[in-house]
Amino acid sequence: MLLSAKQILDKGIIVPSEHSKAAQVGIDLSLANVEYILGGSVVYKDTTHINPDFYESVPTAKVDGKDCWILEPGTYAITFNEGCNIPENYTGFILHRSSLYRTGTQIVSPVWDPGYKTDQMGTVMVVNVKLIIEKNARACQILFHENSSVDELYDGQWQGGTNAWEKAK
């Protein structure tokens, strides 16, 4: 069963920001930061090493008087204004909003596991043609399915957010 936006907020699964918006069955997430991914990192069977030198911050520029990112085709690490606290019997899925999809842009995101917590969520955005997107614009929607209780909650290396690798140094 998909949760309604009201259920998601009432259960505290998503920590909204002033830029969030409740949808019918999910919450729209808004962009806080964009970084261009320049190169790969290393994925082993039991851990992943992210090289911070492969991430380049993208500055905003004024477009029609608004702070926007001007993005050329490529792959970007994006950070949202919103956080999450996913209980044991829910699993999240992020999908791009149709307005973003119509620009030739895709949000690519993993499953958001029971037990995952962070102050700011993040994922990957693939831009296929030049895109101008305003800071704090709603880019995607997170949906939650109710699931059976799990034997073990998420407690992996990324617990706490996309910059968890900095904590491991």
Side-chain angles (χ1 to χ4, degrees):
M1 173 180 81
L2 278 175
L3 272 63
S4 69
K6 182 177 182 340
Q7 290 171 309
I8 293 167
L9 294 170
D10 287 351
K11 293 176 186 302
I13 298 171
I14 289 295
V15 180
S17 75
E18 64 181 294
H19 307 290
S20 309
K21 183 177 180 193
Q24 290 73 19
V25 293
I27 306 294
D28 287 349
L29 304 178
S30 59
L31 292 177
N33 192 42
V34 176
E35 295 175 289
Y36 182 63
I37 300 175
L38 301 167
S41 293
V42 180
V43 179
Y44 295 112
K45 66 180 179 181
D46 59 352
T47 190
T48 299
H49 295 285
I50 302 293
N51 184 338
D53 295 335
F54 291 157
Y55 287 71
E56 181 179 284
S57 185
V58 179
T60 58
K62 291 289 184 187
V63 177
D64 296 329
K66 299 175 183 190
D67 290 327
C68 297
W69 289 286
I70 301 171
L71 305 176
E72 295 297 331
T75 304
Y76 296 84
I78 57 175
T79 304
F80 302 114
N81 291 302
E82 296 77 18
C84 68
N85 184 11
I86 305 175
E88 70 174 321
N89 53 334
Y90 297 100
T91 302
F93 300 90
I94 292 179
L95 299 170
H96 39 254
R97 296 183 69 233
S98 61
S99 55
L100 188 67
Y101 186 69
R102 289 183 182 121
T103 70
T105 301
Q106 298 170 319
I107 300 290
V108 182
S109 187
V111 171
W112 292 76
D113 291 315
Y116 185 76
K117 302 173 192 176
T118 186
D119 293 333
Q120 284 188 291
M121 295 182 293
T123 196
V124 172
M125 182 168 66
V126 179
V127 176
N128 294 302
V129 295
K130 187 174 185 173
L131 172 69
I132 298 173
I133 188 164
E134 185 178 5
K135 183 174 176 67
N136 301 316
R138 292 176 289 125
C140 58
Q141 182 175 342
I142 190 163
L143 310 170
F144 286 92
H145 278 277
E146 188 171 7
N147 53 262
S148 300
S149 293
V150 296
D151 293 334
E152 186 177 322
L153 295 177
Y154 179 85
D155 191 27
Q157 79 179 83
W158 305 114
Q159 185 71 281
T162 57
N163 289 327
W165 56 266
E166 289 179 345
K167 297 174 193 171
K169 287 183 181 177

